[in-house]
Amino acid sequence: MPHQIGFVDDSTVLAHYKLLEVVRDFVVLNGWTVLRYDDVSSNRELIVKAPGLTGTEEIFLGLRTYQDVSADYYNLVAAGFSGYLPGNSFDTQPSAMLSGVPAHNQYIDYWLTMNGQRLCLALKIAPGVYETVYLGKMLPYATPGQYPYPLVVGGMLSGTPATRYSDTAHSMPYRGTRANMRLFTTGGAWIQPDCWPWINSRLGGATTQLRDTGGNYPLLPVVLTDTSGVYGELDGIYDISGFNNLVENTLVVGGKTHVVIRDVWRTGFTDYYAMRLD
């Protein structure tokens, strides 16, 4: 599956509306099915069905917008569902889990990558502010029969609060234990998992100073776990050291290019991750 790097602006519609259109066109081009696309309402909506890595699965995902002109925020909502009902609203789709993502109305740089089972999106909102989305299946430490729908919704906010990109408290979903990272369980419930290595204070703590070796940066998988066990790892997302590193740097590992993204505005050693460009 491919990736796409570009920008959207407000030359035809507001930038966050345009980004929704870009995602729709990209996933359709690469074999996903659009179940709903509303480009007329104030809160525009996209609901899609991904075929999985086998090509025969049904993975239900969505993005929509929400905004407030007087408060000057123009955001996205990342969502995962267990099914699709045409008569239901976006927020009341089966097992809907929503996570807001601060965006912008005028200009957004983006990095978009996908495969059959998940979509990853990084946004650059204004100078130096980066936002993150992980939407779709992870790689479970189980067989498909044991864990058929390991769906992850990782945005930047818990729910859809009125939060502008300039907010200094929001953080990427991979950073330890956060309410903006959710995993759908075999029992049909959403849980808030821990994300390793950030959950490990020796690897992802505030005083950690992991670094490269001779210019080579090891990529650590992001593993989802909690006190009940270890569930699996994210597909194409890795911890990378920020030591002598810069956001938007690229590196090639295993023949695949990865781009370095940071946690909003933060620049510490543990504030970066690498996203595989499929």
Side-chain angles (χ1 to χ4, degrees), residues 109-214:
D109 288 305
Y110 68 85
W111 293 259
L112 173 60
T113 183
M114 63 175 286
N115 59 27
Q117 69 172 2
R118 65 96 179 96
L119 177 151
C120 294
L121 181 62
L123 310 178
K124 183 179 180 181
I125 310 298
V129 175
Y130 294 81
E131 311 288 356
T132 289
V133 175
Y134 185 104
L135 198 52
K137 283 189 176 182
M138 66 159 186
L139 301 171
Y141 295 164
T143 67
Q146 293 170 320
Y147 199 167
Y149 204 56
L151 187 63
V152 170
V153 173
M156 299 299 295
L157 308 169
S158 178
T160 58
T163 302
R164 192 174 184 267
Y165 69 87
S166 56
D167 169 76
T168 58
H170 74 289
S171 186
M172 64 185 182
Y174 317 132
R175 199 176 188 94
T177 307
R178 294 196 55 82
N180 45 310
M181 167 61 78
R182 296 289 178 161
L183 173 66
F184 198 63
T185 66
T186 54
W190 291 96
I191 63 169
Q192 179 180 315
D194 302 328
C195 290
W196 184 94
W198 281 275
I199 195 64
N200 185 310
S201 61
R202 294 184 180 273
L203 295 174
T207 60
T208 300
Q209 295 188 30
L210 297 179
R211 59 160 297 166
D212 62 299
T213 301

Side-chain angles (χ1 to χ4, degrees), residues 24-228:
R24 181 206 59 173
D25 293 346
F26 185 68
V27 300
V28 168
L29 183 64
N30 291 286
W32 288 20
T33 302
V34 172
L35 302 174
R36 177 185 299 173
Y37 181 59
D38 176 357
D39 63 350
V40 177
S41 302
S42 175
N43 289 335
R44 303 192 175 185
E45 301 179 4
L46 173 67
I47 299 178
V48 298
K49 181 174 69 173
L53 298 180
T54 65
T56 61
E57 300 164 59
E58 294 185 324
I59 305 166
F60 299 96
L61 310 171
L63 288 170
R64 73 163 171 84
T65 67
Y66 74 107
Q67 55 279 316
D68 187 319
V69 175
S70 61
D72 192 35
Y73 69 80
Y74 301 85
N75 294 353
L76 299 175
V77 182
F81 316 113
S82 62
Y84 174 67
L85 295 175
N88 282 33
S89 69
F90 186 98
D91 291 16
T92 62
Q93 290 298 318
S95 306
M97 176 56 64
L98 312 179
S99 179
V101 183
H104 205 271
N105 63 324
Q106 296 180 19
Y107 188 96
I108 305 170
D109 288 305
Y110 68 85
W111 293 259
L112 173 60
T113 183
M114 63 175 286
N115 59 27
Q117 69 172 2
R118 65 96 179 96
L119 177 151
C120 294
L121 181 62
L123 310 178
K124 183 179 180 181
I125 310 298
V129 175
Y130 294 81
E131 311 288 356
T132 289
V133 175
Y134 185 104
L135 198 52
K137 283 189 176 182
M138 66 159 186
L139 301 171
Y141 295 164
T143 67
Q146 293 170 320
Y147 199 167
Y149 204 56
L151 187 63
V152 170
V153 173
M156 299 299 295
L157 308 169
S158 178
T160 58
T163 302
R164 192 174 184 267
Y165 69 87
S166 56
D167 169 76
T168 58
H170 74 289
S171 186
M172 64 185 182
Y174 317 132
R175 199 176 188 94
T177 307
R178 294 196 55 82
N180 45 310
M181 167 61 78
R182 296 289 178 161
L183 173 66
F184 198 63
T185 66
T186 54
W190 291 96
I191 63 169
Q192 179 180 315
D194 302 328
C195 290
W196 184 94
W198 281 275
I199 195 64
N200 185 310
S201 61
R202 294 184 180 273
L203 295 174
T207 60
T208 300
Q209 295 188 30
L210 297 179
R211 59 160 297 166
D212 62 299
T213 301
N216 294 312
Y217 287 85
L219 301 183
L220 299 180
V222 180
V223 180
L224 305 188
T225 182
D226 65 12
T227 56
S228 298

